[in-house]
Amino acid sequence: MKERDHAVHEMTDIDYADHELWEEVIWPALYHRAPALGEVKSKSSWAGLYEYNSLDQNAIVDFHPEVPNVLMACGFSGHGLQQAPAAGRAAAELLVNVNFRP
């Protein structure tokens, strides 16, 4: 396997799917871990925006730092349905108490 630069691609098109990364890095690792997956083949792929904060890759529930009357609940990227009840409660606590309850 040749070495690859795993840096984030600087693509302007969010539809970019890195097929080379899949074929040369991810697929061999999956096959090595579970050889039974050897018969599974990709028929299509999808790439899109993955929203998270760059500090710890988690969602943000807080007031906007420059616009104090804007409450943000963003960055869930696929986990929104799972985390919606907690995010809603956190947002409500911020609105009512101006802080999270302990």
Side-chain angles (χ1 to χ4, degrees):
M1 179 184 330
K2 71 179 185 179
E3 286 191 38
R4 284 184 42 91
D5 178 10
H6 293 287
V8 175
H9 290 277
E10 292 185 25
M11 301 297 292
T12 56
D13 186 5
I14 66 169
D15 294 335
Y16 176 74
D18 191 341
H19 300 286
E20 185 179 340
L21 176 66
W22 170 257
E23 293 291 333
E24 294 182 12
V25 178
I26 297 172
W27 176 246
L30 285 173
Y31 179 74
H32 177 74
R33 187 154 181 104
L37 293 175
E39 299 300 317
V40 177
K41 302 295 178 205
S42 296
K43 288 188 173 185
S44 65
S45 64
W46 174 86
L49 179 65
Y50 195 86
E51 179 188 50
Y52 62 84
N53 80 66
S54 58
L55 178 66
D56 62 3
Q57 299 183 354
N58 287 306
I60 297 172
V61 179
D62 203 352
F63 288 100
H64 191 281
E66 296 176 14
V67 187
N69 64 337
V70 173
L71 177 62
M72 301 179 298
C74 54
F76 296 96
S77 273
H79 304 296
L81 185 61
Q82 296 169 329
Q83 298 173 355
R89 181 173 180 157
E93 288 178 8
L94 282 175
L95 286 171
V96 172
N97 305 318
V98 193
N99 208 338
F100 299 112
R101 290 187 349 196

